[in-house]
Structures are given as C-alpha cells and as structure tokens.
Amino acid sequence: MNILILGSGVVGANLAQKLSEQGKNVFLLDDDANELKNLSERYDIKTIFDDPLNPSFYKNFNSKIDYFIAVTRSDEKNLITSKFAKEFLNVDKSIARIRNQNLISEDNKPLLIEKNSFLDHIISPEWEVSNNIFEKIHLPGAFFSESLITQDYLLIGMQSSDLFKNHTYEEIKNFFITNNLCYLGHTKEDEIIFDFKKISISDQLYLLIKKKYLKKLIKFFGFKDYVLDVLIVGGGNIGENLSKLIEQDEQEINLKILDINKERCDFLAGILKNTSIFHGDALDQSLYDEIKLNTSDLVITVTDNDQINTILSIIAKKRGSKSVFSVVNNESYSSFSNDLGIDVIINPRELTTSRIIEKISEGSLLSYHSVLKDSYLIYEVRYTGKIFENIKKSKIINHICTLTKDSLELNINDYIPLKNDVLILCVTQKDSHVLEKIINDY
C-alpha cells in the first residue's frame, strides 16, 4: 500500500512512523527541507521536498498512491491538496485535517464531504481530544479509557490500589465473571503483570468491558461520580469543544475556563451560555483563589504548551483539586504521570494517529490502543480464518478474547471464532510489526 502524507509536523511525523512500521510504503511531502531531513534519518520513509500547492507535482508524480492524508496546520492547504490528489493521482481515499470548528460542526461537516467528492474523511485532533476527555469525566477512578470500533465495548484502566480494602479475591473474581469483564493485565509501580491471581498487588488494572456495566464497575471499585465543579485551563479549540459538550451534559456542572488571550475570552463569553470565563495567566498564583483552584472537583489543562499543562496539573493537585487531566504531546511524560499526581494524560498525537489508521485500514484491522505503560498494544481485528491460524502459531501474540454479536468469549480454547467475530489481541510494542504483517497479508 502506497500512502502520501502532506505535513511533517507532530501528527504527520507520528503517522508516517506508525504506517512505516506497519509495512506501508510511505511518502512524506513538505516544503520544510530541514524537518524532512531529520525525519528521513529517523524513519524508513521517503521524503519529498516540494511545493504541495503546485498542481504539476501531482501531475508528474510517477508512483501509484492509494491514500492521501493532509495534516498540515492549514485547512485551506489540506482541502486544496486533497482535491489535487483525487484529480491527478486518482487516490482511493483522501483524508484532510480540519482545524476550523465551523467547518466540522454537525451542520456543516456532512455538507463539506457530500458536496466535495474529492474528500472522503475529515479528521480534527481537537475534536478527538475533546470527545476523549468528555468520555472520561464521568469515569471516576479511571486513568485511561478508549472505545472500540465494535459497538458498546470500552478499554478502561482503573486505579486499583484500594480494591482489596472493600472486597475479597473471591468477590472480585465473581464480579468479573458475572459481568463478563475481560482482564488484560495490571501494573504495580514499574512492574507489568499478567496474572489475575496477583491483582491484590496492583496499582492500576486494565480491563475490557461492555459499556452497560460501567456504573456497576465504578461502584464496585469504590468510586463515586462527584464531578460538579470543573475548571478548564486553555480556551483554544479543545477548550471550546469540551465546554460545549459539558454544557449539554445531563448532569449540571459548574464550568469555568481560564485563558491568557483577552480576545479569545470575549469570543468564548459570546458563544458559551453557562460557563464562567476568566482572563489571566495560568501560572499567576494570585488568580487561584478567584478561580477556586483548590476546591475544583476536576481541573483539565488543555493549553498548547506541555510544560504549562503539566506544571498547573501538579499545582492543582497539591492545592486540593480532587482530580486533574492533562493534554500532553510528549510521550515521555505519561510514564511518570502517576508520580506527578496527574490522574489522566491525553496524548493528541497518538489519539489522532489511531483514528486516521482506523479510517484507512483495509479489511481486518479495526483499531489499536496503547496500554500498560505504553509497553503493549491491544488490537481489535476482524476474524478471518487465515489470520486466526497464523495467530495460533505465534508465540508472541496473545489472543485475549473474542467479541461475538452478543457476548464476550473469554474461553478461547473452547470457543471457535466465526465470521463477523472480532479478535482482541495483545502484543508488545516492539513486536507489533509481526502482528501487523499478518493482518496486512491476509
């Protein structure tokens, strides 16, 4: 499969790396020669230095391209080049990153795609992050959650250090069986463990669950949905989108936004109906009493600066905020988030890359998710006989369970997958290319 990616920024570079590791033939186009040179030295990709807005580039391109993905920070450039790719390269699919929130609103998004045959999919990292955060707001005790493509299933990571204070091992085991929960693994400090019998020494527990059992799970783990007062730091697209989702929530929430840009604050005040807007520097401690930082149930830092997001999250937790979420692009931060007291870290780069790969995946690969301190990947794969036979032969791919039309089958030795079933597989990050080759080959 040949893929042409436009844009060598954070999203484009990460996407090129991942697709290259999957065995795809990746071309990375940009007009930034220095950035392309750095990336070509790090990854197995072909870099192209050229003007992406020059139609002649596409007319004279001499390789067949299956997918075109435009992820620059310019909506106009992404849309125009998607048209060029469809018209001159005759690509099967085109995907454009769109930042303008008006273009991707519920009313306008269908119009943008339906009226433009050159555009197959739209991706908005800001919306992906906003929706991911919103999903987590009413999951107390969860430090990680991502929905599967298979309807109504959720991967979730729960804080489990206090689980045995309220339940015996037998009670926990029976709860898992009764509610058809799939145990994926757990961690204790820096150790990763795959033995359910040892969950009494766990800090964090990873599970696969049907969404209808979420409230029972949270209650069983001893957590309560207490989020009534939320402070969002950063009024950009993520903060705006998240605020709109929270304002529509069934539970009434006292919502506040803090942003350093006065014009942006005025804009937010004009479009948000039930949100208090504060203007000021997030690191200005004289503001903390006014915004009631120490009494907030949840502080969410979504500025475009990793350092500010991390620092303010630490400050908020130390000053009494019950829970803190932080948007951070730097992967190294997630490994010590617990040590810093940050409850949830959201990585926009990984989230966006995963969503794009889902859209271009042919056949069997539905989704993939990084778990267990980013050391392992969970794959959601549509069953085929050949894929299943190769997985059974492999010593490094763990077939965890099978999702059928009606249930989650844990006993993989007794249940034989059928057409339309979905396999849940686990593999280390370093061995993921082995599984991806099997998926691509069949």
Side-chain angles (χ1 to χ4, degrees):
M1 181 188 295
N2 293 333
I3 300 174
L4 176 59
I5 299 172
L6 170 61
S8 60
V10 171
V11 174
N14 197 54
L15 184 61
Q17 176 193 4
K18 185 61 184 177
L19 290 171
S20 174
E21 290 172 352
Q22 289 182 356
K24 308 292 193 299
N25 192 22
V26 179
F27 299 87
L28 185 60
L29 169 65
D30 208 313
D31 51 11
D32 185 335
N34 291 331
E35 189 60 33
L36 288 175
K37 183 176 183 296
N38 293 334
L39 292 173
S40 66
E41 293 172 352
R42 290 161 54 195
Y43 307 131
D44 183 20
I45 58 176
K46 300 176 181 68
T47 58
I48 304 171
F49 173 61
D50 210 321
D51 179 6
L53 292 175
N54 182 1
S56 297
F57 165 78
Y58 303 89
K59 292 177 181 178
N60 299 325
F61 198 77
N62 55 14
S63 294
K64 165 62 179 167
I65 296 296
D66 300 296
Y67 295 101
F68 177 76
I69 308 169
V71 289
T72 74
R73 296 182 66 85
S74 167
D75 292 352
E76 293 80 3
K77 183 182 288 187
N78 294 340
L79 289 171
I80 292 170
T81 55
S82 293
K83 181 173 176 59
F84 289 164
K86 273 281 184 170
E87 185 171 340
F88 301 125
L89 296 178
N90 196 28
V91 296
D92 296 329
K93 283 186 182 180
S94 64
I95 301 173
R97 173 185 180 178
I98 301 296
R99 292 171 55 82
N100 187 304
Q101 302 306 289
N102 291 322
L103 286 174
I104 58 174
S105 67
E106 290 299 318
D107 293 333
N108 295 331
K109 186 176 180 180
L111 293 174
L112 186 62
I113 294 179
E114 290 169 8
K115 297 293 184 181
N116 297 288
S117 58
F118 63 84
L119 195 58
D120 295 292
H121 296 292
I122 291 171
I123 192 77
S124 169
E126 294 85 358
W127 261 116
E128 296 295 341
V129 171
S130 302
N131 286 318
N132 189 268
I133 294 173
F134 182 69
E135 186 179 65
K136 291 176 170 64
I137 284 178
H138 294 304
L139 294 176
F143 60 90
F144 164 86
S145 67
E146 289 186 10
S147 295
L148 298 189
I149 296 298
T150 305
Q151 193 173 10
D152 298 328
Y153 282 96
L154 184 77
L155 285 172
I156 188 167
M158 295 292 295
Q159 303 288 357
S160 56
S161 53
D162 292 336
L163 183 58
F164 276 78
K165 290 182 179 180
N166 303 312
H167 304 288
T168 64
Y169 172 78
E170 286 301 318
E171 287 174 335
I172 296 169
K173 180 181 176 182
N174 290 334
F175 179 83
F176 274 57
I177 294 171
T178 303
N179 295 283
N180 204 209
L181 301 184
C182 177
Y183 162 81
L184 302 175
H186 66 270
T187 62
K188 176 65 176 179
E189 296 177 350
D190 293 330
E191 186 180 3
I192 297 172
I193 305 166
F194 293 99
D195 186 349
F196 183 80
K197 295 178 181 178
K198 295 182 180 179
I199 61 170
S200 60
I201 58 168
S202 67
D203 291 327
Q204 297 181 334
L205 190 60
Y206 287 80
L207 311 167
L208 175 59
I209 183 173
K210 232 178 179 177
K211 290 182 180 179
K212 67 179 182 180
Y213 297 125
L214 274 172
K215 288 186 178 179
K216 291 176 68 175
L217 175 75
I218 290 166
K219 183 178 179 181
F220 185 80
F221 270 67
F223 297 103
K224 294 181 180 179
D225 189 352
Y226 57 81
V227 177
L228 298 172
D229 190 285
V230 175
L231 169 65
I232 298 174
V233 181
N237 288 338
I238 296 175
E240 176 190 340
N241 295 336
L242 183 57
S243 299
K244 289 177 179 176
L245 291 171
I246 292 174
E247 286 194 339
Q248 297 168 7
D249 192 57
E250 293 178 358
Q251 182 171 307
E252 187 174 340
I253 292 175
N254 178 33
L255 179 61
K256 299 162 288 186
I257 292 182
L258 173 66
D259 194 84
I260 196 169
N261 187 299
K262 179 64 166 61
E263 289 184 3
R264 185 64 181 176
C265 287
D266 292 339
F267 168 77
L268 293 172
I271 63 168
L272 298 175
K273 300 175 182 178
N274 302 307
T275 302
S276 300
I277 313 296
F278 294 86
H279 171 238
D281 186 341
L283 299 181
D284 181 359
Q285 298 188 40
S286 65
L287 286 171
Y288 293 170
D289 288 338
E290 183 182 1
I291 62 177
K292 298 180 180 178
L293 182 70
N294 61 328
T295 59
S296 295
D297 293 325
L298 173 61
V299 174
I300 308 171
T301 58
V302 296
T303 75
D304 58 4
N305 187 302
D306 284 359
Q307 286 79 15
I308 289 177
N309 291 345
T310 305
I311 291 169
L312 191 65
S313 294
I314 297 169
I315 292 172
K317 202 61 181 287
K318 287 187 177 295
R319 285 178 172 254
S321 298
K322 294 178 183 176
S323 187
V324 291
F325 295 179
S326 187
V327 171
V328 179
N329 280 286
N330 190 325
E331 292 178 352
S332 62
Y333 282 57
S334 61
S335 61
F336 52 84
S337 60
N338 283 334
D339 297 332
L340 299 174
I342 301 174
D343 298 284
V344 176
I345 280 188
I346 299 97
N347 186 324
R349 177 172 58 181
E350 283 297 321
L351 195 59
T352 305
T353 300
S354 177
R355 295 296 176 268
I356 292 176
I357 289 177
E358 288 168 11
K359 293 184 184 299
I360 68 171
S361 293
E362 292 181 332
S364 298
L365 177 61
L366 297 176
S367 70
Y368 72 93
H369 311 266
S370 183
V371 297
L372 295 163
K373 298 184 179 295
D374 294 330
S375 297
Y376 289 81
L377 288 169
I378 297 293
Y379 282 81
E380 181 186 11
V381 179
R382 188 178 287 110
Y383 165 80
T384 70
K386 289 188 176 180
I387 286 179
F388 186 60
E389 288 303 316
N390 278 275
I391 287 169
K392 286 199 299 183
K393 295 175 185 175
S394 174
K395 295 181 179 180
I396 61 175
I397 302 170
N398 183 15
H399 177 198
I400 298 173
C401 65
T402 302
L403 305 182
T404 73
K405 182 180 177 182
D406 302 310
S407 65
L408 186 157
E409 296 291 337
L410 289 169
N411 199 333
I412 58 174
N413 294 321
D414 293 341
Y415 179 80
I416 300 174
L418 304 172
K419 183 180 179 181
N420 297 323
D421 284 353
V422 173
L423 309 177
I424 303 301
L425 311 170
C426 182
V427 66
T428 64
Q429 285 273 9
K430 65 181 178 66
D431 292 326
S432 61
H433 66 282
V434 177
L435 174 55
E436 286 164 1
K437 186 177 188 308
I438 293 174
I439 295 170
N440 291 331
D441 287 348
Y442 301 104

